[in-house]
Amino acid sequence: MTTRRTVRTFALLCGTAALVASSLTTPSNAAITADPVQQLSTTGNAENIPPPLVRAAADGYAVAVWADTDPGDGKRYLYVSLRSPEGTWAGPTRLSWTIGGQGIHPDRTYYSVDMNRSGDVAVAWQQEGAILVAQLPRGESDWAGRQVSGDVHEVDDFSGPATTVLPDGTATLAWRADSNPDPADTFSRLLVASGTPGAWSAEEIITGKQYVPVVGDPGEPDVERGFSLTSDGAGTTWLRWIERTDVPVTSGMPTMRKRMSGASRAPGSAWSDPTPLTDVLDPYAEPQSITIAGDRLLDGFAEMRQFAPTSAEVAAGTTEPRIQLRHAGAVRTFRGTAFKYSFAGVSAAGGQAVARLYWNDGSTSTGFTTSRDGAWSDLESPLGVDDTLYSGSQAPFALHDDGGLSMVYLSGSTRRVRAVHRAPGATTWDASRAVSSTSAVSSADAPVVTAAQGRQALVTWLISGDVWAGGFTSDTPPVVTPPPSPTPTPTTFTRLSAPTVTGKLRVGRTLRARPGSWSPTPTSVRFRWLANGKVIRKAVKARLRLTRQLRGKRISLRVTLLRSGVTTKVVTVKTKGRVRSSP
């Protein structure tokens, strides 16, 4: 049964986070301004796997989360620090509590955090075989924590929960576990639960509630650890995973293959049934990972799929794996032998998406591709020839609401945390700027970045086991693509179809005029009816009733086309024969 607990809060020995003024020099051509650096912990025991995580709301309110060993009892706990919109980080608060006298796992720390644009935050972690969550709605002062996993299954020891917070503040968690108490069942599945501090749903098995079988497959899916959870600005939640399954082959002996699958949940609805996204039949490309990122402003998401080459490709000498990017109907594939898939990433906001690829072809490099207007761009590098990534380090990035893009990295020359930024609509990057004030940063202590208010980005990193926070803002103006020059209006009318007169030439009948079609379109059309070449008094409408006075005469129509800037055109339409008497 799910139980609710109130999380106890403790301040670390450091008390209020220390503020360290940043004394960094700015290149003359830099458009990036660095924020003051603040130290969030002083124990020297903070963990770097994962590194401290940071998330921000639209107004700059933010949260940082990290694992640390308490110097008093020697146990490991989770700690958080909140940042005010004005830029001050508060002293750390302990989130995790003990289960059976233990802190969180001494060797494996798995946790995640998310904050929506309003500032509602949820932190989830695995502890002693259970999935726990702590939530803090914006404006509240006390964290509310509870266990969300049930007691009838075993949570996977080697993967943590994924977390997403919807626009209405509801948090959703997904995790991997053996959901069958039968010891003989070794299959793993994905489970989810959702809720607010006051009420949480019971856990729900996603991958087992309606299995979509492959022909001849006698088993259930075995879910791998590389699953991905996200939500979008419309409140829809999306889940993606890779599952292993037995597939019959021509020899009659089954072979294990993998496929990508997904499920979703719209606001107020239940989770959809699992849907296979890739095929397990030949030609078969083995999935390696799948990552999705919801558009935090609009509905929809961006997706990154990674595949090994097919057996036919390998036989033909192609050994490069491939990355397939998907967003709003745009699909593009990149291949490369030196790609490091674990360092790739994708983000979406405001109808755009950005993906980062990372490779090592003699020098560590990273490149970005952007999805705009239905197509992914070519790769572009954010670093100049004067700097590279520190070997083995990642280069996290943040996509801003206005389409600006920020990236942080460990400099290969100085080992300081540096930042670069690309203005909205631009294809070139601002000159890099140092964010950390010291170079005592290792590749394992990689920085993490998140978009904050406007063009501001917030960064956390480790130095010798202590957590630090900083940030930067770019003032480079957006690149506005001028609208195409209007097509000049022609100075003469071009006929597309000729004017016409219809009707019988008999007294009492009515003739009807049509002006035809012209380019450009006239803004005014005038009609004038004539009898034997002379103007008929007051006959200036598109219809002419044939009276006895017109009997025996030849009728014609004069059409005048008018438009500003275009030469006036007059066209005469003649009828055949003379007006006859009524039968």
Side-chain angles (χ1 to χ4, degrees), residues 24-64:
L24 305 175
T25 59
T26 307
S28 59
N29 63 338
I32 294 175
T33 302
D35 296 339
V37 176
Q38 300 181 55
Q39 187 173 357
L40 304 186
S41 73
T42 59
T43 65
N45 297 317
E47 298 294 328
N48 58 16
I49 304 178
L53 303 179
V54 60
R55 298 290 184 269
D59 63 352
Y61 176 72
V63 61

Side-chain angles (χ1 to χ4, degrees), residues 114 116 120 164-172 231-232 235-237 265 267:
D114 193 32
N116 63 16
D120 304 312
T164 188
V165 180
L166 276 63
D168 65 0
T170 300
T172 296
S231 58
D232 62 25
T236 299
T237 309
R265 186 184 61 187

Side-chain angles (χ1 to χ4, degrees), residues 215-229:
V215 176
D217 177 13
E220 290 191 73
D222 193 6
V223 177
E224 296 200 333
R225 296 186 176 95
F227 59 90
S228 185
L229 175 73

Side-chain angles (χ1 to χ4, degrees), residues 21 141 149 193 237 287 300 384-385 393 510 514 533 549:
S141 57
S149 60
T237 309
V385 296
S393 66
T510 298
R514 289 186 173 84
Q549 290 80 3

Side-chain angles (χ1 to χ4, degrees), residues 26-117:
T26 307
S28 59
N29 63 338
I32 294 175
T33 302
D35 296 339
V37 176
Q38 300 181 55
Q39 187 173 357
L40 304 186
S41 73
T42 59
T43 65
N45 297 317
E47 298 294 328
N48 58 16
I49 304 178
L53 303 179
V54 60
R55 298 290 184 269
D59 63 352
Y61 176 72
V63 61
V65 186
W66 66 93
D68 207 331
T69 300
D70 189 297
D73 62 13
K75 296 177 182 178
R76 183 183 295 178
Y77 300 96
L78 282 182
Y79 293 88
V80 298
S81 179
L82 296 173
R83 179 188 185 273
S84 69
E86 294 73 30
T88 301
W89 288 91
T93 296
R94 181 191 293 180
L95 282 190
S96 51
W97 60 89
T98 62
I99 294 180
Q102 301 295 320
I104 58 180
H105 200 289
D107 298 321
R108 295 184 294 274
T109 303
Y110 300 112
Y111 59 92
S112 58
V113 59
D114 193 32
M115 175 182 281
N116 63 16
R117 289 174 50 77

Side-chain angles (χ1 to χ4, degrees), residues 56-61 83 85 117 296-297 398-406 421-422 424 450-458 472-476:
D59 63 352
Y61 176 72
R83 179 188 185 273
R117 289 174 50 77
R296 59 180 175 270
L297 300 177
L399 179 61
H400 298 265
D401 290 351
D402 65 357
L405 183 60
S406 294
H421 181 85
R422 188 187 71 186
T450 188
Q453 185 177 18
R455 208 79 64 74
Q456 182 187 47
L458 303 179
F472 58 94
T473 303
S474 171
D475 58 9
T476 301

